[in-house]
C-alpha cells in the first residue's frame, strides 16, 4: 500500500482490489486507486512504478506487506520467469526493486516511512545469507521463507542508513502470527492452529496502523527495539 498526504490519496499495489473498496468505505472522500502488481515479476514491478510515477504524487508511506509461504510455492517449478526463487522474489526481491524505483517519490513525500513487514521466522535463516540459493532449484526442496524475512530486515536497516538524511525513515515490522489467507494451502493441522492461536488480520492491521501514525516513527528510527501497543493491536518492533 502506498499513501500520499496530497489530497488524501491512497494507491494500492494489489491483486485483490476488494481491499481498496474497503478502504474507500472506511475513509469517505479519499482518493483511492488500484494499480495491479505481481511482485514475482520484474516487469510487473517496473510497470507499477511507472504507473505510480505518472500519477505525479509524492509518497508518504510505503508498506511492503505482500508475500507467500512455502506451502503456497510451486515446488516443482520453484523459479520465476526472471530466474529467481518464487517465494524469495515475492517476499523480498520484488519489494527491494519496488522501493528502489520509488525513492524519488519517497524523498518528495518526506517525512516519509517505509515498512518491511517481516516475521519471527527470520531467526530460522543462517546469519550469512546464501544469495546464490535464490537462483537455484533445490532438490530436495528447502524453503527460503526465513531467509526472505531476514533479507527484509537487512534491507530496512540499510535503507534507513542511506535515506534517513533525506527524511525517509525505514522500519522492519513484525506483526506476530496472523490467521490470514497465507495459510490457505497449508495442511489441516496448520490451518486449525492458525484459527485457534493467531490474531485476526484486523488486529494485525491495527498494530501496523499505530506504527504508521506514530509521530516518533515518522522521522527517525530508535536505536533500540521499541514496543508499542494498541487496545486491539499486536506488538510493534522497530529495528535500527
Amino acid at each position: 500500500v502506498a499513501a500520499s498526504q496530497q489530497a488524501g490519496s491512497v494507491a494500492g499495489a494489489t491483486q485483490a482490489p476488494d481491499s481498496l473498496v474497503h478502504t474507500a468505505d472506511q475513509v469517505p472522500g479519499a482518493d483511492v486507486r488500484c494499480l495491479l502488481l505481481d511482485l514475482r515479476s520484474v516487469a510487473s514491478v517496473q510497470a507499477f512504478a511507472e504507473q505510480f510515477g505518472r500519477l505525479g504524487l509524492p509518497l508518504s508511506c510505503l508498506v511492503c506487506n505482500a508475500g507467500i509461504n512455502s506451502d503456497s510455492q510451486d515446488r516443482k517449478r520453484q523459479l520465476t520467469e526472471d530466474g529467481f526463487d518464487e517465494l524469495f522474489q515475492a517476499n523480498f526481491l520484488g519489494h527491494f526493486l519496488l522501493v528502489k524505483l520509488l525513492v524519488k517519490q519517497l524523498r518528495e513525500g518526506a517525512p516519509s516511512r517505509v515498512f518491511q513487514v517481516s516475521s519471527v521466522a527470520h531467526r530460522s535463516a543462517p546469519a550469512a545469507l546464501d544469495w546464490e540459493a535464490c537462483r537455484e532449484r533445490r532438490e530436495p526442496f528447502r524453503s527460503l521463507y526465513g531467509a526472505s524475512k531476514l533479507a527484509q530486515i537487512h534491507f530496512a536497516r540499510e535503507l534507513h542508513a542511506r535515506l534517513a538524511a533525506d527524511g525517509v525513515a525505514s522500519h522492519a515490522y513484525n506483526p506476530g502470527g496472523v490467521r490470514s489467507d497465507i495459510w490457505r494451502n497449508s495442511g489441516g493441522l496448520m490451518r486449525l492452529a492458525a484459527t485457534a492461536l493467531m490474531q485476526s488480520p484486523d488486529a494485525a492491521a491495527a498494530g501496523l496502523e499505530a506504527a504508521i501514525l506514530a509521530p516518533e516513527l515518522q522521522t527517525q528510527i530508535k536505536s533500540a527495539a521499541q514496543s508499542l501497543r494498541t487496545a486491539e493491536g499486536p506488538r510493534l518492533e522497530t529495528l535500527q
Side-chain angles (χ1 to χ4, degrees):
V1 175
S4 171
Q5 293 179 346
Q6 181 175 320
S9 298
V10 178
T14 181
Q15 292 183 315
D18 288 349
S19 61
L20 295 184
V21 173
H22 175 75
T23 301
D25 290 340
Q26 294 297 310
V27 189
D31 179 10
V32 182
R33 313 182 194 196
C34 175
L35 307 180
L36 298 182
L37 168 65
D38 185 351
L39 287 162
R40 299 168 298 181
S41 166
V42 168
S44 179
V45 175
Q46 291 172 328
F48 172 87
E50 291 174 2
Q51 284 183 285
F52 186 84
R54 287 197 293 270
L55 294 178
L57 296 172
L59 184 53
S60 304
C61 182
L62 177 61
V63 179
C64 299
N65 177 57
I68 61 175
N69 63 12
S70 56
D71 291 326
S72 301
Q73 183 172 6
D74 185 341
R75 299 191 180 191
K76 292 183 178 179
R77 185 167 62 98
Q78 293 190 26
L79 303 183
T80 67
E81 62 185 16
D82 300 306
F84 298 105
D85 179 82
E86 180 187 26
L87 181 151
F88 199 79
Q89 185 166 351
N91 292 8
F92 169 65
L93 292 175
H95 287 134
F96 176 89
L97 178 60
L98 179 64
V99 173
K100 178 178 173 60
L101 295 176
L102 295 178
V103 165
K104 176 179 178 288
Q105 288 86 352
L106 285 165
R107 286 186 170 126
E108 291 173 348
S112 54
R113 290 87 66 208
V114 179
F115 286 88
Q116 301 289 331
V117 179
S118 189
S119 165
V120 70
H122 78 268
R123 296 176 180 172
S124 67
L129 288 172
D130 181 1
W131 294 102
E132 293 302 317
C134 73
R135 307 197 68 156
E136 301 171 349
R137 294 186 75 258
R138 294 170 305 287
E139 298 291 350
F141 175 80
R142 176 173 53 86
S143 174
L144 296 182
Y145 185 81
S148 73
K149 293 302 173 179
L150 180 58
Q152 281 189 290
I153 293 174
H154 284 314
F155 179 41
R157 294 170 64 97
E158 184 63 24
L159 187 68
H160 187 77
R162 297 191 181 205
L163 297 185
D166 297 329
V168 182
S170 174
H171 307 278
Y173 173 79
N174 173 17
V178 184
R179 55 177 183 271
S180 69
D181 197 41
I182 198 172
W183 305 107
R184 63 186 179 278
N185 295 318
S186 299
L189 185 59
M190 187 65 243
R191 293 200 304 272
L192 180 62
T195 300
L197 302 176
M198 296 184 184
Q199 65 188 312
S200 69
D202 285 343
L208 179 57
E209 179 184 11
I212 291 171
L213 299 178
E216 64 270 31
L217 299 184
Q218 291 184 12
T219 57
Q220 62 180 339
I221 271 187
K222 301 302 182 182
S223 59
Q226 180 187 54
S227 294
L228 297 178
R229 287 184 180 274
T230 64
E232 50 185 335
R235 183 177 65 182
L236 162 72
E237 293 182 349
T238 305
L239 304 176
Q240 184 177 13

